Amino acid sequence: MSDPRTVTDGAEVLLAKPRGFCAGVDRAIAIVERALAVHGAPIYVRHEIVHNKFVVEDLRAKGAVFVEELDEVPHGATVIFSAHGVALDVRREADARGLRVFDATCPLVTKVHVEVAKMRGAGREVVMIGHEGHPEAEGTMGQSDSGMYLVETEEDVAKLAVANPDQLSYVTQTTLSMDDAARIVAALKARFPKIVGPKKDDICYATQNRQDAVKIMAPRCEVVIVVGSPNSSNSNRLREVAKNLGRDAYLVDNVDELRPEWIEGKRTIGVTAGASAPEVLVHDVILRLQEMGAVRVRELEGIDEKVTFPLPKGMG
Ligand code: SF4
């Protein structure tokens, strides 16, 4: 049998801090669990409650039924909106169909929705910086029936045609790369000098803290493993941040995706996790790295997050 040890003898695993679950993900999962406990299965969930396969499978086993559209939900049933938020149309449809709704939209996404409503109320068009096809972008774009534009790149900004450049504002998706967002905001300001936006941007504390932690960790290691699902925006950004710092970086949904050749001969391996990835998956990766020969595991200094969000009224 071949020797499972592949990393350099004495190799060390560095853990980014913070990593993994954020307050919005904790709350969203708690809402589904609470709804199941109080109302019983099935509880319908529109879209993956958070973008993590392990979390979704776990809740499915407990009686959650994941659907993409509300027409898949029987009349009068209970439905939960995912942490990414929904367009106004979806809320209207849920009302029209007599569904009981629990809203797991992260309060930091709701904050962006409120910004959009205020900007549109003030007669401004709104440019959203976000990823096309991502449910958060769709939900935020759907906060107004008109006057919204989605841009993803500086090229999109160059091509943008708006009704009135003097009455323009912008918002951002909460899980963008801070560096990319800063570049796109700069491009918007260069092209539309009167554009107004939120004080900084709408990137949430959890996205920012996890990216900052990778910026501290990546220069100290030879390879970075990010635990997260392929459809998780903030997990993909963590991998990009490490790559932009010149490190090999890989996204794994679970330990079985960890490939020995990525870490062969490495002396320092960095590990982090996206905001929707549970810590148990990080533990699995650490155990595997230890089986492969890592001898030390060290969590780096970092921010202690104290943010929590209450459950919706009537659920607490
Ligand atoms: Fe909320 Fe940020 Fe977590 Fe998304 S990543 S659920 S916006 S705290």
Side-chain angles (χ1 to χ4, degrees):
M1 198 180 127
S2 67
D3 186 351
R5 297 168 70 86
T6 49
V7 299
T8 302
D9 262 353
E12 184 174 40
V13 178
L14 297 182
L15 298 176
K17 182 182 174 186
R19 63 180 178 278
F21 277 9
C22 60
V25 164
D26 267 337
R27 174 178 179 271
I29 295 170
I31 289 172
V32 181
E33 288 180 337
R34 188 104 189 105
L36 281 165
V38 173
H39 301 287
I43 294 288
Y44 291 82
V45 183
R46 186 186 177 277
H47 195 71
E48 292 189 353
I49 185 73
V50 300
H51 283 159
N52 186 269
K53 196 171 149 201
F54 180 94
V55 170
V56 167
E57 292 305 329
D58 181 56
L59 292 173
R60 187 177 279 138
K62 292 174 179 165
V65 177
F66 292 90
V67 298
E68 281 310 306
E69 298 303 336
L70 290 188
D71 58 14
E72 300 167 59
V73 181
H75 191 87
T78 299
V79 68
I80 296 176
F81 295 151
S82 78
H84 315 96
V86 295
L88 293 178
D89 271 354
V90 175
R91 292 185 189 279
R92 291 182 199 123
E93 189 186 346
D95 277 353
R97 304 206 45 229
L99 303 178
R100 171 166 45 197
V101 172
F102 292 114
D103 188 0
T105 303
C106 176
L108 299 181
V109 173
T110 302
K111 176 175 147 268
V112 183
H113 292 182
V114 171
E115 282 167 5
V116 168
K118 280 190 190 151
M119 290 163 171
R120 292 295 294 135
R124 292 179 174 278
E125 290 192 307
V126 182
V127 181
M128 177 181 194
I129 305 171
H131 297 296
E132 187 159 10
H134 189 281
E136 183 186 330
E138 286 174 357
T140 302
M141 292 293 292
Q143 296 307 304
S144 172
D145 296 331
S146 61
M148 302 286 298
Y149 306 94
L150 182 66
V151 298
E152 197 165 356
T153 61
E154 287 155 283
E155 292 75 49
D156 293 343
V157 174
K159 285 186 288 189
L160 190 61
V162 301
N164 181 358
D166 295 339
Q167 282 288 309
L168 201 56
S169 51
Y170 71 88
V171 294
T172 76
Q173 193 172 321
T174 57
T175 52
L176 298 181
S177 144
M178 292 192 300
D179 301 329
D180 289 353
R183 269 197 300 278
I184 297 169
V185 168
L188 278 172
K189 287 183 173 166
R191 212 174 144 219
F192 306 105
K194 293 196 173 158
I195 196 166
V196 296
K199 269 194 208 93
K200 200 166 65 66
D201 51 44
D202 299 298
I203 296 173
C204 75
Y205 80 97
T207 297
Q208 180 165 345
N209 289 347
R210 281 152 191 69
Q211 289 179 19
D212 287 345
V214 168
K215 287 180 182 174
I216 291 169
M217 179 178 75
R220 301 182 191 184
C221 44
E222 293 164 286
V223 59
V224 171
I225 306 298
V226 180
V227 182
S229 285
N231 59 345
S232 160
S233 173
N234 81 88
S235 303
N236 278 288
R237 305 294 83 77
L238 295 179
R239 190 181 61 82
E240 283 170 13
V241 167
K243 274 207 153 294
N244 290 341
L245 290 166
R247 295 295 173 271
D248 287 339
Y250 303 97
L251 184 66
V252 296
D253 216 343
N254 59 56
V255 67
D256 294 333
E257 293 183 0
L258 187 68
R259 302 237 295 263
E261 61 267 31
W262 296 341
I263 52 168
E264 198 168 350
K266 300 288 194 280
R267 285 159 305 167
T268 321
I269 301 141
V271 177
T272 187
S276 45
E279 184 68 7
V280 61
L281 301 180
V282 174
H283 277 294
D284 291 347
V285 167
I286 295 170
L287 283 177
R288 181 68 57 84
L289 291 171
Q290 287 174 323
E291 283 164 19
M292 290 171 163
V295 293
R296 286 220 307 157
V297 179
R298 184 160 60 97
E299 184 175 66
L300 294 169
E301 297 272 312
I303 290 177
D304 264 323
E305 289 178 338
K306 304 260 192 274
V307 181
T308 57
F309 296 131
L311 294 182
K313 280 199 191 81
M315 241 197 174

